[in-house]
Amino acid sequence: MTTPPAIEFAPEADAELGGLEGTLVVFTDGAGGLGTAATSLDHAMGGALSRAVKDGAFKEKAGRVSAFEWPAGLAAKKVLLAALGPDPDPAAARKTGGAIGAKLGKGPVTVATAGAAGEETLAQVVWALALRLYDFDEYRSAGDDEEGDENGDRGAPREVTVLAADADALARASRPFAALAEGIYFARDLVNEPANTLTTTEFAARIEAMQTLGLEIEIIEEPELEQMGARALLAVGRGSESPSKMAVMKWMKGPQGEPPLALVGKGVVFDTGGISIKPSAGMEEMTMDMGGAAVVCGVMRTLALRKAPANVVGVVGLVENMPDGRAQRPGDIVRSMKGDTIECVNTDAEGRMVLADCLWHVQETYKPAAVIDLATLTGAVIIALGHHNAGWFATDEKLASAFAGAAEAVGDAAWRLPLGKKYAEQNKSRLADVKNTGGRSGGSITAAEFLHRFVKDETPWIHIDIAGVTLLSSASELAPKGATGWGVAALDRLVRDRYER
Ligand code: BES
Ligand code: MN
Ligand code: ZN
């Protein structure tokens, strides 16, 4: 398991910066001049830092980070000069932290923050830095890392020391962020993990291991799913050697008797398309088709780590979509747990069949105050929004504005798309109550309308299609290329804003 770097907070006054090894990070002040730590290093460095800021290049440029390699006069091998810009907002703080993280290499890191900004802002910087240091090196053999990045460095630094004017205050402000970083790392690992390792059984084991954090875990196996009538979910997994499962994670530490927020995730550990098999080019990316389930697990982990006073239940459907003699066929009709019959016209539209039963189960069992599902559901959402926004749908305006605010506050970019009866009509089946695709046009919306059918009228609901934002082919502000953990921060924030007492 990949874990965030250990971060230590210490008073800046005690530090002798010139004698520290590894990488030193210092800041400009809000006006584009040198901050206190930067000024003290500048003398030893013969004025190199003040030369860098003299032309005003750092002014109002949040996120600008310059590297000084092998600086004369210091024990450090690298100094990073970072600009937060004037009055940095959380977005500027994240951008700066991410930019610092992207330029760090191996070895110890010391970040001297005194005077750079207030504790809340600095906590964001440190969090962003920790997120950007994520490195999934599970399958890189030792000795295989000579190449390194542009600085010749490879792998995340293990120790980060943050020096601050008030180290205790910054440590306190950083605590909830540490829980969030762990949740995001956990989600990213699940997404990056290949499908021969992350089988449905291994996924369930990783969920079960979270019991030690105080989460209540229930793994529902095939025979019981059969009894419950979860035939839509089971149909998808029929072609796989890995048994289908539904996993439930309960965190009920809010007011007793208050209905929980329900989070539901698509956990297709690999999506070949089934008998409606996908083209081979790019199919390896379908190891990320459990991204929705990963986000749900990451949020539940965060809530447990920070002991959130809230009632939240997470449900994920864990299946593998494979072609086989026992696999479901195009044209098959199954009865879902709700009782509606589904004509499976395309076995590659499997996510919605899995979610149909998960949504129904969570509503019947927990009578949730609201349901939010996340799924790498459609390629169509990538056509609509690219890789820069998740697409989301909502049936309740209060929940919608709370979610929009939470996502915006943490920087998880998302764009709302419409629901509508006309779209739902595209899913009409000649033989059954509904079919599992509505044709090419409006593909993300007809998928959402399929799910809508399995949401009770009285349940406020949001569906988030994360197909475009779960796995990226290049590095982003807060993540190296690969899994992003998109959504963990937004949902953690939503819980904090709306479901905590
Ligand atoms: N898992 C895919 C969607 C997907 C595509 C996720 C690309 C991430 C990147 C989903 O199960 C799927 O195959 N959807 C089909 C639906 C179609 C058959 C109606 C699609 O989008 O092509
Ligand atoms: Mn599919
Ligand atoms: Zn899929």
Side-chain angles (χ1 to χ4, degrees):
M1 198 164 78
T2 318
T3 47
I7 296 174
E8 238 176 78
F9 296 89
E12 186 148 335
D14 305 346
E16 259 304 339
L17 294 181
L20 293 175
E21 294 186 359
T23 304
L24 302 180
V25 182
V26 295
F27 294 85
T28 59
D29 64 15
L34 294 179
T36 44
T39 304
S40 82
L41 289 187
D42 188 46
H43 294 305
M45 291 167 73
L49 298 179
S50 49
R51 279 181 61 206
V53 298
K54 205 159 250 161
D55 65 1
F58 279 86
K59 220 172 184 172
E60 298 181 19
K61 285 271 174 25
R64 177 164 297 210
V65 178
S66 273
F68 299 79
E69 308 270 343
W70 306 112
L74 303 178
K77 72 169 184 176
K78 182 152 68 177
V79 170
L80 296 182
L81 178 61
L84 270 166
D87 298 323
D89 59 9
R94 286 192 297 268
K95 188 172 184 209
T96 304
I100 295 168
K103 284 201 155 76
L104 293 174
K106 259 189 192 148
V109 176
T110 306
V111 187
T113 66
E119 272 88 22
E120 277 309 313
T121 301
L122 290 173
Q124 291 263 354
V125 172
V126 173
W127 173 66
L129 184 159
L131 288 186
R132 189 60 184 79
L133 288 180
Y134 176 85
D135 182 35
F136 188 71
D137 62 0
E138 196 64 33
Y139 299 99
R140 266 186 239 126
S141 305
D144 207 25
D145 58 344
E146 273 98 52
E147 233 176 87
D149 61 15
E150 79 260 30
N151 303 315
D153 291 327
R154 184 102 186 231
R158 294 278 151 250
E159 288 154 46
V160 177
T161 305
V162 176
L163 304 174
D166 187 343
D168 290 339
L170 184 51
R172 225 174 302 121
S174 295
R175 217 167 288 144
F177 286 107
L180 186 51
E182 272 202 50
I184 292 172
Y185 268 53
F186 188 67
R188 286 178 181 175
D189 273 7
L190 288 167
V191 167
N192 282 328
E193 198 71 75
N196 58 334
T197 299
L198 194 72
T199 59
T200 56
T201 303
E202 169 65 17
F203 203 139
R206 291 193 189 189
I207 289 171
E208 264 186 318
M210 290 204 289
Q211 238 153 14
T212 56
L213 301 177
L215 285 160
E216 225 179 292
I217 309 291
E218 181 193 2
I219 308 291
I220 309 174
E221 304 285 353
E222 275 180 1
E224 207 184 331
L225 288 169
E226 199 83 61
Q227 278 181 353
M228 289 160 55
R231 300 211 170 77
L233 181 150
L234 287 168
V236 174
R238 284 178 57 93
S240 173
E241 293 290 320
S242 296
S244 300
K245 297 165 197 284
M246 201 187 283
V248 184
M249 295 157 264
K250 278 172 269 184
W251 181 258
M252 303 291 265
K253 303 291 162 93
Q256 230 188 354
E258 192 177 280
L261 167 67
L263 303 176
V264 174
K266 169 179 173 180
V268 175
V269 295
F270 195 75
D271 181 13
T272 63
I275 298 299
S276 313
I277 198 162
K278 288 181 181 294
S280 41
M283 202 202 274
E284 72 280 3
E285 282 194 2
M286 285 303 121
T287 54
M288 54 73 104
D289 211 17
M290 29 53 65
V295 173
V296 172
C297 293
V299 176
M300 298 311 294
R301 190 177 188 90
T302 301
L303 297 178
L305 285 170
R306 67 174 182 81
K307 300 189 167 54
N311 295 331
V312 183
V313 52
V315 172
V316 296
L318 305 176
V319 303
E320 185 179 38
N321 190 19
M322 295 288 265
D324 178 77
R326 283 165 39 88
Q328 72 169 335
R329 292 156 288 251
D332 282 4
I333 295 176
V334 292
R335 193 176 293 280
S336 69
M337 195 188 298
K338 178 188 171 193
D340 288 0
T341 54
I342 301 168
E343 182 190 6
C344 175
V345 298
N346 188 325
T347 65
D348 199 10
E350 84 297 342
R352 62 199 78 181
M353 295 184 67
V354 174
L355 290 172
D357 284 340
C358 292
L359 288 167
W360 200 252
H361 176 68
V362 82
Q363 290 171 97
E364 288 283 275
T365 313
Y366 301 98
K367 311 273 179 276
V371 176
I372 301 178
D373 79 76
L374 298 106
T376 50
L377 201 64
T378 67
V381 82
I382 306 176
I383 304 301
L385 300 173
H387 296 282
H388 310 301
N389 275 288
W392 62 284
F393 306 80
T395 57
D396 180 277
E397 292 313 309
K398 278 203 190 116
L399 181 62
S401 65
F403 169 72
E408 163 77 27
V410 302
D412 278 342
W415 192 261
R416 189 174 176 183
L417 297 168
L419 292 161
K421 268 209 177 66
K422 293 268 170 60
Y423 296 101
E425 281 165 16
Q426 289 179 233
N427 295 329
K428 274 196 174 147
S429 162
R430 180 173 65 89
L431 301 165
D433 297 329
V434 68
K435 59 179 179 173
N436 75 335
T437 77
R440 268 173 59 80
S441 66
S444 301
I445 311 178
T446 54
E449 278 296 355
F450 179 95
L451 299 179
H452 195 180
R453 195 185 175 90
F454 297 90
V455 177
K456 299 182 180 188
D457 285 342
E458 67 268 25
T459 309
W461 167 64
I462 289 180
H463 158 59
I464 314 175
D465 195 333
I466 57 172
V469 294
T470 295
L471 187 83
L472 298 179
S473 57
S474 52
S476 56
E477 202 168 280
L478 300 185
K481 68 175 97 151
T484 61
W486 188 102
V488 177
L491 293 176
D492 173 65
R493 179 61 181 257
L494 180 69
V495 170
R496 184 188 296 269
D497 289 351
R498 200 174 145 94
Y499 296 95
E500 285 182 14
R501 286 295 134 82

